[in-house]
Amino acid sequence: MPYVMVQIPKTPAPALPAQRSVPTSADVARLAGVSRATVSYVLNNTSAVRISEPTRRRVHEAAKELGYVPHAAARSLRAGHSRMVLMPAPSFPVGPLYSSFLSDLQLALGRLDYTVVQHGSVGLHSDEAARAWAELRPVAVLVSGSGLGPKGVTVLNRSGARAVVSLGPESVEGAHALLMDYEAVGHCAGRHLYDRGRRRIGVVVPEEDGLESFSAPRLEGVRRALRGTDATVTELPLAYAEESAARLAARWRALGLDAVFAYNDEYAMLLMRALQDEGVRVPADTAVIGADDLMLGRLLRPRLSTVHIELPSGRELAELVDRAVRNPGAAPETHKVLGATVVHRESS
């Protein structure tokens, strides 16, 4: 069978759109009718040089018209350090209270001209994670929980981090520390239940990974509050799932408990619903108390008793970071934070 050669003509590739040049500070200076130094002073909020308000307006309007934004890397080279504050993403489930705290902190740091970057370090732990954070050359690192050790602090400092701050139940050598007394949360809950006449008290311990550094101190706080009394404490593992709560509620009467501190409001709501489905009356048969003082707890029937937790303000923590960045040679600061008070409602 004969073969016929057919030539397929080449289709010319579509022309790429002309790439627009990236606007520079020189372009902003020309449009605003000022020097490049003035543009730098205005856009970097330099307070050492007096710039008139009309000039500032012209510079900002020119930058907006051209779509110009300052080059972070270039600014870092001039300053000798970045303005990046690195916040490793928490390895534990973050509830509404902690999310609100993080948002407040990010806003406060932004007002001080820092750029907050959340870093996902899934699969990395302790010093290994610190090396990954150091590669980004942040000026400060804020670590929640127990994901940082003294070696990690050294790695970060040597990479140029002027401030390393840990937020957790224990301080870390070389780092500034905000000590969160999670035992106080459990102590408040345990004392409240005992004062309400409860003697067989259960304490929910979440089965989710990453919550041990919060749940263990809360359990110990309840035990400390009831030490030397006639009350008993029963540890209750519970996953944050309806099926897990239903299984626990099904054996509730066999456990013989007349009260429960349910770790926080979310676990308390989950368990209280399951108990009510089992016919366990709250608070007649079992008193329930949570923690965090979430709005949803006030909408339940019965309304949920809780431990109100007072976290440090974002402004206070942002000012600590700023002090450390400005004075990197200062001794690490340690502050005890996190107040805890019981809000008594119908469930207990």
Side-chain angles (χ1 to χ4, degrees), residues 198-220:
R198 309 294 170 150
R199 296 296 181 268
R200 301 179 306 280
I201 298 170
V203 178
V204 166
V205 177
E207 294 182 339
E208 280 65 36
D209 291 338
L211 293 179
E212 300 85 356
S213 58
F214 303 94
S215 61
R218 293 185 187 197
L219 174 60
E220 180 55 34

Side-chain angles (χ1 to χ4, degrees), residues 92-98 185-186 189 203-206 208 211 214-215 218 238 240 260-272 288-294 297 300 304-307 309:
F92 50 86
V94 176
L97 180 69
Y98 197 74
V185 178
V203 178
V204 166
V205 177
E208 280 65 36
L211 293 179
F214 303 94
S215 61
R218 293 185 187 197
L238 176 65
Y240 193 65
V260 60
F261 169 46
Y263 175 71
N264 70 9
D265 287 354
E266 291 173 292
Y267 284 85
M269 289 184 264
L270 175 72
L271 181 57
M272 192 162 83
V288 179
I289 185 170
D292 291 354
D293 195 13
L294 302 183
L300 293 182
L304 181 64
S305 294
T306 188
V307 178
I309 297 174

Side-chain angles (χ1 to χ4, degrees), residues 24-30 32 34-45 51 55 59 62-63 68 70:
T24 67
S25 61
D27 298 327
V28 176
R30 278 193 294 273
V34 298
S35 68
R36 289 184 68 178
T38 299
V39 171
S40 176
Y41 294 145
V42 171
L43 297 184
N44 289 314
N45 293 318
I51 307 290
T55 300
V59 170
Y68 171 78

Side-chain angles (χ1 to χ4, degrees), residues 56-79:
R56 287 184 180 275
R57 260 198 316 272
R58 286 206 313 277
V59 170
H60 283 295
E61 288 169 359
K64 184 177 180 181
E65 181 178 337
L66 293 171
Y68 171 78
V69 292
H71 196 297
R75 182 170 62 176
S76 298
L77 286 172
R78 287 193 299 271

Side-chain angles (χ1 to χ4, degrees), residues 121-196:
S121 40
V122 177
L124 300 178
H125 302 285
S126 192
D127 300 336
E128 185 184 4
R131 283 191 290 272
W133 306 333
E135 289 179 6
L136 298 176
R137 298 296 189 269
V139 73
V141 179
L142 276 62
V143 185
S144 300
S146 55
L148 183 67
K151 289 183 180 178
V153 175
T154 301
V155 168
L156 290 167
N157 287 336
R158 286 177 177 171
S159 73
R162 296 186 170 201
V164 180
V165 183
S166 66
L167 296 86
E170 297 178 351
S171 59
V172 180
E173 183 182 346
H176 300 272
L178 292 182
L179 299 180
M180 307 287 198
D181 186 4
Y182 295 116
E183 274 197 31
V185 178
H187 190 279
C188 282
R191 194 74 237 176
H192 170 73
L193 293 172
Y194 186 84
D195 291 344
R196 301 296 298 171

